[in-house]
Amino acid sequence: MSASTSTMVDFWFDPSCPWAWMTSRWVDEVSRQRDIDVTWHVMSLAVLNEDNDVSDDYRAFFPRALKYTRLVTAVAQLAGQEHVKPLYDALGTRIHPGERTDADAVIAEALDELGLDATLARYADSDEYDEQMRASHFDGITRVGQDVGTPVIAIDDVAFFGPVISPAPKGEQAVALWDGVVAAASYPGFFELKRSRTAEPQFD
């Protein structure tokens, strides 16, 4: 690969997931220091767990999460892929560091911030683009297998779940972690490296 060639990265996220949000902030930091070309895609915790035995409290979270994934999918289809990351940023800033739980208000404000048509909000409660949303979800999941969550990252077609991090590293630490994760994931026989979480997501 020549120095002038960008590294192609695909990132699958559920806007509601705080861990995906942390990882996305890390990828943003890396993108300021490395020549990487990131394409952002929706995946869905609701779809991921639709046939799984999860707690009632966790399942009660899925309808709100679906609003966000449906909205982002519709915006990508109707307004263009270039709006996916700005919309994710606008939603995520309110959902995660902002700790907002009123999905309808979050959606309205995010669309207004980006100058997108307010009527797009109706797609948050519509299954019209569920086929495309599910296709995006399974595109990411089939690259890594079912026993994973969000986010999923593919780097030059090498895909992995995570990393799950908190807080998001900055500067040289961000790049060092990037290089380590890419190196590990690039080995065909590498499957899993894990330890218990000892911290909650720490937002800037």
Side-chain angles (χ1 to χ4, degrees):
M1 180 182 297
S2 68
S4 62
T5 302
S6 295
T7 299
M8 306 306 294
V9 178
D10 289 277
F11 191 112
W12 282 265
F13 64 92
D14 184 312
S16 296
C17 178
W19 297 105
W21 178 254
M22 298 299 299
T23 308
S24 72
R25 302 309 92 183
W26 165 62
V27 171
D28 278 350
E29 178 71 11
V30 172
S31 71
R32 289 189 279 270
Q33 304 179 68
R34 287 287 178 82
D35 186 9
I36 63 174
D37 184 1
V38 187
T39 302
W40 301 84
H41 310 270
V42 162
M43 64 181 294
S44 169
L45 288 170
V47 173
L48 182 69
N49 290 284
E50 59 189 356
D51 296 321
N52 294 342
D53 183 15
V54 299
S55 70
D56 290 341
D57 286 345
Y58 190 37
R59 193 168 296 281
F61 151 82
F62 294 153
R64 185 169 77 240
L66 266 176
K67 283 178 174 279
Y68 298 130
T69 55
R70 283 172 164 166
L71 175 72
V72 176
T73 303
V75 168
Q77 295 295 314
L78 297 171
Q81 172 67 30
E82 67 272 16
H83 295 289
V84 169
K85 179 57 162 54
L87 182 56
Y88 180 31
D89 291 343
L91 293 170
T93 298
R94 291 168 172 82
I95 296 166
H96 302 300
E99 299 183 341
R100 301 277 299 281
T101 58
D102 184 341
D104 292 337
V106 165
I107 287 167
E109 291 175 18
L111 292 172
D112 181 66
E113 177 185 327
L114 301 179
L116 292 169
D117 190 335
T119 62
L120 289 167
R122 75 175 185 86
Y123 292 101
D125 296 304
S126 167
D127 62 2
E128 185 171 344
Y129 291 102
D130 275 14
E131 181 179 352
Q132 291 87 341
M133 182 265 287
R134 294 175 72 90
S136 176
H137 171 87
F138 286 111
D139 181 29
I141 287 297
T142 55
R143 301 185 192 214
V144 292
Q146 290 294 324
D147 190 24
V148 298
T150 173
V152 169
I153 300 178
I155 302 174
D156 288 335
D157 293 326
V158 175
F160 53 88
F161 159 59
V164 176
I165 51 177
S166 180
K170 299 184 183 301
E172 293 181 1
Q173 275 193 326
V175 174
L177 178 61
W178 177 263
D179 290 341
V181 169
V182 171
S186 66
Y187 175 62
F190 178 82
F191 299 110
E192 187 170 350
L193 179 68
K194 188 173 184 178
R195 62 180 179 180
S196 297
R197 299 175 191 172
T198 59
E200 294 300 309
Q202 299 174 37
F203 308 118
D204 290 338

